Amino acid sequence: WIFFTCIGVLYTMIYANKIKKDPLKSISYESDKYYRENFSNSDIKNEKFKIGHALVLLTIAFGIAWIVWGVDTSGYYIPEIAGVFFTMGIVSGIIAVIFKLNNMSINDIAISFRKGAEDLVGAALIVGLSQGILLVLGGQSPFENTVLNTILNSVSSILFGLPSMVCAWFMYIFQSIFNFFIVSGSGQAALTMPLMSPLASMIGVSKQVSVLTFQLGDGFTNLIVPTCGSLIAVLGVARLDWKRWAKFQFKFQSILFITSIIVISIAVIIGY
């Protein structure tokens, strides 16, 4: 984790330093025009920090703590987390009205919600369509006859008999490609690990290495696959075209791929 996080931080700092010298080289320079126009210097005002602002910040802090508690103790997932964020927005809006922050009115709460939704509706539709790929391929149940399970079975047959090092590489490549269809970490694990874990034992690869190939394959490609809901949502808000992002991200994905192969190789050699 430390190793790959440092790679990401270093890569981001090098890119940020380049953009600081020449903003025109930014991948999002054109798409940022929308925000630069809406948040021009003429709109910036010197506001005093009031009790209302503090209460809004406390509402956010309480909401985050609520989510952490709910996920940890009560099994909160997307619907519950979304409900908490919606509640945070309503409470923050009421506080803003009571303390007249930016002269906000009751109607402004609804208007602000509508404007926020405008930026996310397109992304939400794309996320829904991307999940349709999973449905067309038969869903993510490991106990039913589906296209995905047929692919998994075929891959396991191909890998059997290969050298352990090569097999570990192919397991990583397969997990990376498979992440296009199942971007959910838990879903991908439920489908692939019941096959990969016993396969690893048969070909001389430790189960921990098979888990490592899953972790690396499932994690890094989320930064580029168009079926990743969080990625598409962020690109939608940033008004950035996925093709443009994929072209930009390809170099970083290549770095992650090469370093992952090295890490997996070391893991196999030392019997991790």
Side-chain angles (χ1 to χ4, degrees), residues 126-127 130-131 179-180 183 221-234:
I126 295 174
V127 170
S130 68
Q131 293 301 304
N179 194 45
F180 175 87
V183 292
T221 49
N222 286 332
L223 296 171
I224 193 170
V225 293
T227 50
C228 179
S230 56
L231 170 65
I232 297 302
V234 171

Side-chain angles (χ1 to χ4, degrees), residues 94-141:
I94 294 173
I95 292 173
V97 172
I98 294 174
F99 289 90
K100 301 186 183 302
L101 302 180
N102 295 334
N103 296 319
M104 195 167 189
S105 65
I106 293 293
N107 290 337
D108 289 332
I109 297 178
I111 294 173
S112 298
F113 180 83
R114 185 199 67 198
K115 289 182 178 180
E118 286 176 358
D119 291 331
L120 290 173
V121 167
L125 291 174
I126 295 174
V127 170
L129 291 173
S130 68
Q131 293 301 304
I133 296 176
L134 173 61
L135 297 177
V136 170
L137 294 178
Q140 60 183 20
S141 172

